[in-house]
Amino acid sequence: MGESDIFIDIIIIAMYVLLALTTGVSLWSAWNGVRTHQRRQSTRIGYIIAASVALLLLLTYVFGSTRPLLSNGVVFDNPLWLRLADMFIYSSLILIAVCSVVVVIAKFRR
């Protein structure tokens, strides 16, 4: 067991901790939002955003590639994981681009 193996274990553990924290904060935020919501307009916008993100994830999964991938001499050919990887990559890029456009529009709208 080399020094790099220890770092890989630490990175994997850190990713699990971050996943648990973000999931917990997301669930708490959703619960708190439902508990304290007052206006129907904000609720409608929230549903539209949630549905849009779900649709984006579905579309990027459907259009994800299933072509086998060669990485470090190992061929990855499981269609589920290939599509999921593409889904997360493309969804992240699209969401970053959309957020950037919204920030620019909001900045010049004032």
Side-chain angles (χ1 to χ4, degrees):
M1 182 169 188
E3 187 174 314
S4 63
D5 294 337
I6 294 171
F7 290 130
I8 290 172
D9 291 341
I10 291 171
I11 290 172
I12 290 173
I13 290 169
M15 292 302 295
Y16 281 131
V17 168
L18 286 174
L19 177 64
L21 284 172
T22 55
T23 302
V25 168
S26 297
L27 290 174
W28 176 80
S29 177
W31 175 78
N32 193 30
V34 167
R35 185 176 57 90
T36 61
H37 86 79
Q38 297 290 326
R39 300 182 350 217
R40 286 183 64 89
Q41 182 69 18
S42 64
T43 303
R44 191 175 329 144
I45 292 171
Y47 288 144
I48 290 170
I49 290 172
S52 299
V53 170
L55 180 64
L56 174 68
L57 290 172
L58 178 68
L59 288 175
T60 54
Y61 176 81
V62 168
F63 291 115
S65 174
T66 58
R67 192 176 63 208
L69 179 69
L70 180 65
S71 178
N72 293 333
V74 178
V75 177
F76 295 97
D77 59 355
N78 187 331
L80 172 73
W81 291 113
L82 291 169
R83 283 183 185 240
L84 282 175
D86 277 355
M87 177 187 78
F88 286 120
I89 291 168
Y90 292 133
S91 296
S92 298
L93 292 174
I94 290 169
L95 288 173
I96 289 170
V98 168
C99 288
S100 299
V101 169
V102 168
V103 166
V104 169
I105 290 172
K107 178 71 175 169
F108 289 113
R109 198 169 184 200
R110 292 184 181 188

